[in-house]
Amino acid sequence: MSASELLRQSMQNLRVAETKSTLPSLVPFKFTSPPRKFKLSYPALQHYKQNFGFWLSDQWLIELGKHTHLPEDRFDPPLDEDFWMRGVAYICETVGLEGLTVEHCFQPKTNGAPPQFLDADGEVLVLSVCDDVEDDIPSQQQVDYLTNLLGRPPQWWVNIYPRNDWE
């Protein structure tokens, strides 16, 4: 085998090794049947906004973002913050929900995130699919997709920031 063939083979092996990850494989979401609105019972309005979604970790988003490569990365290597943003954008694009946000929320007394996923203030990062005043809620299929992807059901979380419009 020539040197160029060996180099090509090693580069292919390297690419395969790079793609092996503990992250779930994100396959773009496609509706297999007409979308059904997610049936959601809203909690009572509080002084703090409430988000419906899934806890996750900064590190998971960073690792997810590292699978997105841009041409300019060769000249300007991305920081963890860039990978974090790419991870969020990738989920939004994959699931087809433009309204997804990442929020800081209080840890509930029960059924919250495991302690190792809380920040120094005891707060948890939440991938929010909607909040308690939004009319635009995801479809049942999109919520099911995220539930399968993240391995846990969504729930209501109380945001750390008070409402701006609270009277």
Side-chain angles (χ1 to χ4, degrees), residues 22 25 41 45 51 61 80 106 129 138 140 162:
T22 59
S25 60
S41 58
L45 222 51
N51 298 96
L61 284 172
D80 280 350
F106 293 114
V129 297
Q140 179 69 51

Side-chain angles (χ1 to χ4, degrees), residues 12-82:
Q12 286 175 342
N13 291 342
L14 178 63
R15 284 190 198 117
V16 170
E18 285 176 0
T19 59
K20 291 181 182 176
S21 171
T22 59
L23 293 171
S25 60
L26 287 177
V27 178
F29 173 80
K30 291 184 180 158
F31 285 106
T32 54
S33 60
R36 300 183 321 271
K37 281 288 184 192
F38 184 69
K39 291 183 174 136
L40 188 59
S41 58
Y42 288 88
L45 222 51
Q46 294 184 20
H47 183 66
Y48 289 84
K49 182 170 84 168
Q50 297 170 91
N51 298 96
F52 187 72
F54 307 83
W55 66 264
L56 43 81
S57 73
D58 283 318
Q59 194 57 41
W60 188 85
L61 284 172
I62 291 167
E63 290 301 315
L64 181 63
K66 287 181 178 178
H67 290 279
T68 304
H69 301 285
L70 301 176
E72 60 267 19
D73 290 352
R74 291 179 289 153
F75 308 109
D76 186 18
L79 303 170
D80 280 350
E81 295 83 22
D82 301 319

Side-chain angles (χ1 to χ4, degrees), residues 40-45 50 130-137 156:
L40 188 59
S41 58
Y42 288 88
L45 222 51
Q50 297 170 91
C130 66
D131 64 40
D132 58 353
V133 294
E134 279 185 20
D135 292 332
D136 188 25
I137 61 173
W156 284 105

Side-chain angles (χ1 to χ4, degrees), residues 1-8:
M1 207 180 264
S2 71
S4 62
E5 289 172 331
L6 285 172
L7 179 61
R8 186 177 305 118

Side-chain angles (χ1 to χ4, degrees), residues 23-32 36 38 52 54 60 64 87-97 100 127 129 138-154:
L23 293 171
S25 60
L26 287 177
V27 178
F29 173 80
K30 291 184 180 158
F31 285 106
T32 54
R36 300 183 321 271
F38 184 69
F52 187 72
F54 307 83
W60 188 85
L64 181 63
V88 172
Y90 190 76
I91 291 174
C92 291
E93 186 178 308
T94 301
V95 179
L97 285 172
L100 283 177
L127 178 68
V129 297
S139 70
Q140 179 69 51
Q141 294 96 321
Q142 289 167 316
V143 173
D144 291 345
Y145 178 86
L146 285 169
T147 299
N148 288 333
L149 173 72
L150 297 169
R152 57 191 161 274

